[in-house]
Amino acid sequence: MRSALLNGAEWFAVLRIGLGLWWLESWRHKDKKQWFGGGGIRWAAGVAEKHRWPVVRRGFDTVVAPRPRLMAYVVAYAELALGLGLVAGFLTPIALAAGFLLNLIYLALMIHDWAEQGQNLMMALISLVGLFAMNWQTWSVDSALGLFG
């Protein structure tokens, strides 16, 4: 494969780092006081309540609604951990798989919002590409430590 400036593995690393920065931006732009005060989960509850798929409503009511404060922290700090892990390339395959699943959950919840669908589809696609390209092998803590051969 011929490429300008970087080789293929390095371009995949750029893609991984960009995805990590995207996750960090998702964490950074949250109004933490409002989010941890329950605003984010209340907003999501309103979306889930009107969802066209009963399984999404039931899943939200079973998993998220009974523990809104905990779930607010889980969501926010999962985004932070994913961002840091992907930028540094630490535990990269785990971060890519977890990010893919989180994007699928967001996508299912926000199925009516075209803007959210596009963002979550692109992030999920980049995660899959990163997994199959094994992009923890270049410019990563994983590579420096010899993790994930």
Side-chain angles (χ1 to χ4, degrees):
M1 174 179 175
R2 294 185 57 189
S3 176
L5 304 177
L6 304 173
N7 67 37
E10 291 168 339
W11 280 116
F12 282 121
V14 168
L15 194 61
R16 181 199 77 231
I17 292 165
L19 179 60
L21 292 172
W22 202 342
W23 279 114
L24 288 174
E25 176 57 19
S26 292
W27 178 80
R28 186 203 63 79
H29 87 271
K30 281 182 174 41
D31 177 343
K32 307 302 185 293
K33 184 175 180 182
Q34 190 265 353
W35 182 263
F36 295 132
I41 300 302
R42 276 192 303 276
W43 167 81
V47 172
E49 180 181 26
K50 298 178 228 151
H51 206 281
R52 69 174 89 163
W53 298 341
V55 68
V56 172
R57 287 191 304 272
R58 282 193 308 271
F60 188 91
D61 290 343
T62 302
V63 177
V64 180
R67 40 191 92 66
R69 185 168 172 81
L70 173 64
M71 294 310 292
Y73 278 92
V74 167
V75 167
Y77 286 102
E79 291 175 350
L80 177 61
L82 288 169
L84 294 173
L86 292 170
V87 168
F90 183 61
L91 302 177
T92 309
I94 295 165
L96 288 167
F100 177 75
L101 291 174
L102 194 55
N103 281 123
L104 288 183
I105 291 168
Y106 289 168
L107 180 64
L109 180 62
M110 297 304 300
I111 200 73
H112 303 295
D113 186 332
W114 289 101
E116 288 292 325
Q117 284 181 347
Q119 172 179 319
N120 288 297
L121 279 173
M122 291 310 302
M123 291 175 82
L125 177 62
I126 294 168
S127 293
L128 278 181
V129 167
L131 275 169
F132 288 111
M134 299 173 23
N135 72 3
W136 49 88
Q137 298 175 47
T138 302
W139 299 345
S140 70
V141 172
D142 293 337
S143 177
L145 296 177
L147 300 176
F148 309 109

